[in-house]
Amino acid sequence: MGLAEAARQTAPGIVVLDDATQIATYLSACAQGQAGWSQAELRRPVHELVALSGLPEQRLREAEQLDIPLLLKPELGMDESTLGLIPPARARQLRAVPLQQQDGHVAVAMENPTDRSAIEQLDFLSRQRVVSLLVPPGVLSDLLAVSYDRLEDIHVVRELGLDPGKVLREASDRDTERLARERSVVRIIHDLLIDALRRRASDVHLRPGEEGLDLLYRIDGGLVPVRRFLPALAPALISRIKVIGLMNLAEHRRPQDGRASMEFDDGHSADMRVSIMPTVWGESAVIRLLDTSQSLKDIEGIGFEPRDRALIEVLLERSHGMFLATGPTGCGKSTTLYALLLELRRRQQNILTVEDPVEYHIAGIQQMQVNRAVDFHFASALRNMLRHDPDVVMVGEIRDRETAAIAVDAALTGHLVLSTLHTNTAATTLTRLLDLGVESYLLRSSLLGVLAQRLVRLNCPHCLQEDAGDPRLRGLLGVAEDEVFKIGVGCGHCNGQGVKGRRAVYELLEVTPAIRSLIVPGAEADRIHDTAVAEGMRSITQSALKLAREGLISLAEAYRVRTD
């Protein structure tokens, strides 16, 4: 039995395996080439398994068609010789765990057992014929935790002189510092940071729980489970992160923030923002990663439509005025502003920025970083920057009335001002500035345009399939029943997520005479939005639907970022 063989005509439903005996019986049937291993008493209909397993119906239908069994919550005794067929790092990368071997065949639990590339790699690594079994992501994480993770962790815990069965609740400052500097602990944190950068993770999460310390990466906007550490290792790993972030090792009751920069042997360098929070199960850590070895996107790389690209260039040619990039945290606003700065840098102009923090260093631009310890924040920095003969000023974020007022004043006195604001749409940006206390007549005279954006997750091109789409979403988005959409189902290229990479979807509002006439006290965002659309603005929802119709994103992803 394998993916190279044609799907067999079998009884309807999916075989559900629960224990090692059932897996052994199934593996024996495969090794003997017995087609049509029915086991009707073990088969269950797909509609029952959707809610029970948490897996997409489409993936279950594929398993039914190929007659691939499903593992739900098996109680298995892990065999070290079988686990040794696949190296731990590759098992985590491929999201696969070998369970049993027999007569040249090995049963492997997989999140995506239809991934040909992964199965070929597993065949090569194990030197046996792989018989794939479908498991939900949570079950696979548990299998990894009780196999590779546990074996490695027990070795490290004993090396540190700790008890694998106990959590180090209280330790002296000296012991805590010793653990944080132990070679094995340093190696674990170093390796996971390298792995996170290699996999394009924007954040690393270390989440404590009753069963251990869960490691997750945020990749393309989604949290991907990586592994689970033994509870006994949690204090040492969190302490190591505190050392990196220059934090107080003895403080366990209050949140702490830190920053660091690191260079790695493989050529990567990263700026990190570290957050530690106390929880009921221990301290939780999140590391925001900025891979400084990655190049900045230019204006071409943002993905603007030709019409919008031309409009932005016209707005940037203005000698004064304010242009804003808006959206929620993590929507790519800073990346867009950096792309605009690269465009402006080509001119002989004095460009000053104030940021929190400075994410990328750009030659030819004078960049400053907020320092609240000496009362150097956005408003005070902007006030002083205007005395430094700037042509272009970039303010990392407009957060308060004072910063908004100074930014507008700068835009009115012969400076081009770029900044960001946390609003959901371009139209609500105007009403937000009015709410911050900016006078309507000043806003009418200073604001040039607003770019509101989101980041959508692109379908993985290696596992693209036709997506029937939820009829409810089609109705809500006004999509015809016969329109065809695509979706990634998950493979080794995308860590089984079905998505790889992100792209901006946006709406670009130009402050035209018609829009300007609506900027009055008590202005209505809906009227501003409708007028902008009537003048040719494509909303974020329509921008996302355009990408979905091109097969670049799923219909569900377009619905996720909708704004109207």
Side-chain angles (χ1 to χ4, degrees):
M1 176 178 177
L3 292 177
E5 301 176 19
R8 299 189 301 271
Q9 295 296 323
T10 60
I14 298 176
V15 171
V16 179
L17 304 178
D18 290 319
D19 56 41
T21 302
Q22 292 176 351
I23 294 174
T25 303
Y26 173 70
L27 189 59
S28 176
C30 292
Q32 295 171 24
Q34 295 178 4
W37 192 74
S38 178
Q39 295 294 323
E41 71 278 6
L42 298 180
R43 291 186 180 273
R44 301 180 65 172
V46 168
H47 70 269
E48 286 185 10
L49 296 173
V50 172
L52 195 61
S53 68
L55 288 165
E57 182 177 350
Q58 186 171 351
R59 179 154 292 177
L60 290 169
R61 292 292 180 193
E62 290 175 351
E64 180 183 36
Q65 183 181 1
L66 295 170
D67 201 25
I68 297 174
L70 171 70
L71 293 179
L72 287 177
K73 291 188 177 180
E75 296 293 333
L76 303 173
M78 309 306 290
D79 176 37
E80 289 193 30
S81 63
T82 302
L83 292 174
L85 294 174
I86 301 173
R90 297 305 298 277
R92 295 189 188 103
Q93 180 186 357
L94 297 172
R95 301 286 290 168
V97 178
L99 303 176
Q100 292 187 35
Q101 54 183 322
Q102 184 174 327
D103 300 328
H105 288 63
V106 57
V108 180
M110 302 179 66
E111 273 185 3
N112 183 11
T114 63
D115 185 352
R116 293 179 181 273
S117 173
I119 289 177
E120 288 174 0
Q121 293 181 61
L122 292 168
D123 278 337
F124 176 78
L125 291 167
S126 66
R127 303 294 183 182
Q128 300 194 45
R129 181 71 178 274
V130 168
V131 176
S132 55
L133 310 175
L134 174 64
V135 292
V139 175
L140 185 61
S141 295
D142 290 340
L143 288 174
L144 284 168
V146 300
S147 55
Y148 297 109
D149 297 351
R150 187 171 299 275
L151 291 174
E152 289 184 338
D153 289 354
I154 288 175
H155 175 72
V156 173
V157 167
R158 287 173 176 165
E159 188 178 285
L160 296 175
L162 303 175
D163 186 341
K166 294 183 179 179
V167 181
L168 189 64
R169 296 294 183 187
E170 295 184 4
S172 66
D173 294 347
R174 179 176 297 178
D175 287 341
T176 302
E177 186 171 355
R178 177 188 66 81
L179 290 173
R181 300 187 186 280
E182 286 284 349
R183 179 176 299 178
S184 53
V185 175
V186 172
R187 177 185 55 80
I188 289 173
I189 298 299
H190 177 276
D191 289 350
L192 73 84
L193 290 175
I194 285 289
D195 184 52
L197 288 168
R198 182 183 57 80
R199 293 169 66 174
R200 302 176 298 104
S202 61
D203 301 84
V204 173
H205 289 245
L206 284 162
R207 212 184 261 177
E210 186 175 8
E211 301 298 325
L213 187 69
D214 289 326
L215 172 65
L216 306 96
Y217 297 157
R218 186 173 294 280
I219 302 174
D220 295 327
L223 281 175
V224 178
V226 178
R227 63 162 297 180
R228 176 176 293 162
F229 294 102
L230 281 179
L233 268 180
L237 298 179
I238 296 297
S239 295
R240 179 61 196 168
I241 292 172
K242 287 182 179 180
V243 169
I244 292 173
L246 302 178
M247 301 179 189
N248 183 357
L249 287 174
E251 180 57 72
H252 304 286
R253 298 172 298 176
R254 296 179 181 176
Q256 294 190 71
D257 295 321
R259 290 180 182 167
S261 295
M262 292 185 70
E263 293 187 4
F264 301 95
D265 295 338
D266 67 345
H268 278 95
S269 59
D271 288 338
M272 294 177 283
R273 279 180 280 175
V274 186
S275 173
I276 302 289
M277 295 282 289
T279 74
V280 293
W281 295 111
E283 290 179 289
S284 170
V286 174
I287 305 171
R288 168 66 55 88
L289 291 172
L290 180 66
D291 189 349
T292 55
S293 62
Q294 296 292 321
S295 59
L296 282 169
K297 286 187 177 180
D298 57 17
I299 200 168
E300 290 282 353
I302 299 298
F304 291 121
E305 295 290 325
R307 171 185 175 276
D308 296 327
R309 161 77 184 270
L311 175 56
I312 287 175
E313 289 179 345
V314 168
L315 295 178
L316 293 181
E317 288 171 358
R318 299 285 291 272
S319 62
H320 65 277
M322 184 165 63
F323 183 84
L324 300 175
T326 71
T329 300
C331 74
K333 300 186 295 294
S334 296
T335 299
T336 297
L337 285 190
Y338 277 122
L340 301 185
L341 288 177
L342 290 176
E343 188 74 14
L344 289 165
R345 188 181 59 169
R346 299 176 183 176
R347 310 166 191 174
Q348 295 298 317
Q349 293 182 318
N350 186 25
I351 303 175
L352 303 180
T353 78
V354 57
E355 307 167 56
D356 184 23
V358 174
E359 295 185 357
Y360 289 98
H361 298 277
I362 307 176
I365 294 178
Q366 299 181 78
Q367 297 171 270
M368 290 167 280
Q369 185 161 305
V370 166
N371 187 345
R372 293 180 179 81
V374 295
D375 200 30
F376 185 68
H377 44 76
F378 285 124
S380 61
L382 184 53
R383 190 181 300 110
N384 286 280
M385 288 165 67
L386 299 181
R387 306 190 190 105
H388 212 68
D389 188 31
D391 297 297
V392 179
V393 172
M394 195 270 270
V395 183
E397 183 183 346
I398 294 177
R399 295 178 177 174
D400 51 46
R401 176 174 300 189
E402 185 181 10
T403 306
I406 300 172
V408 168
D409 184 58
L412 290 171
T413 54
H415 308 91
L416 181 61
V417 178
L418 308 179
S419 190
T420 70
L421 197 66
H422 284 97
T423 55
N424 290 324
T425 65
T428 55
T429 301
L430 279 63
T431 57
R432 173 62 177 155
L433 288 168
L434 293 172
D435 290 341
L436 280 174
V438 177
E439 295 290 347
S440 57
Y441 70 92
L442 295 177
L443 191 57
R444 284 196 298 268
S445 303
S446 61
L447 190 61
L448 301 174
V450 179
L451 179 77
Q453 68 180 59
R454 300 289 189 279
L455 289 179
V456 290
R457 295 170 289 194
L458 297 172
N459 287 331
C460 174
H462 300 283
C463 56
L464 208 56
Q465 293 187 7
E466 188 170 315
D467 179 20
D470 187 334
R472 182 179 66 90
L473 299 188
R474 288 178 177 265
L476 292 171
L477 292 171
V479 173
E481 292 183 4
D482 59 348
E483 288 195 65
V484 177
F485 298 94
K486 300 288 186 179
I487 190 171
V489 296
C491 65
H493 294 278
C494 58
N495 297 300
Q497 301 303 300
V499 293
K500 187 172 185 180
R502 291 191 290 178
R503 177 172 169 175
V505 292
Y506 63 89
E507 56 188 25
L508 178 59
L509 184 151
E510 180 188 9
V511 181
T512 62
I515 297 294
R516 198 171 288 117
S517 68
L518 299 176
I519 304 177
V520 296
E524 297 180 10
D526 288 343
R527 287 191 62 193
I528 295 172
H529 177 83
D530 292 343
T531 301
V533 170
E535 291 190 324
M537 181 185 81
R538 178 189 284 138
S539 70
I540 289 175
T541 303
Q542 293 305 314
S543 294
L545 274 175
K546 180 176 181 294
L547 294 186
R549 290 184 170 111
E550 294 171 356
L552 295 175
I553 67 174
S554 67
L555 187 64
E557 184 69 1
Y559 181 76
R560 183 182 70 84
V561 298
R562 74 198 184 284
T563 56
D564 52 55

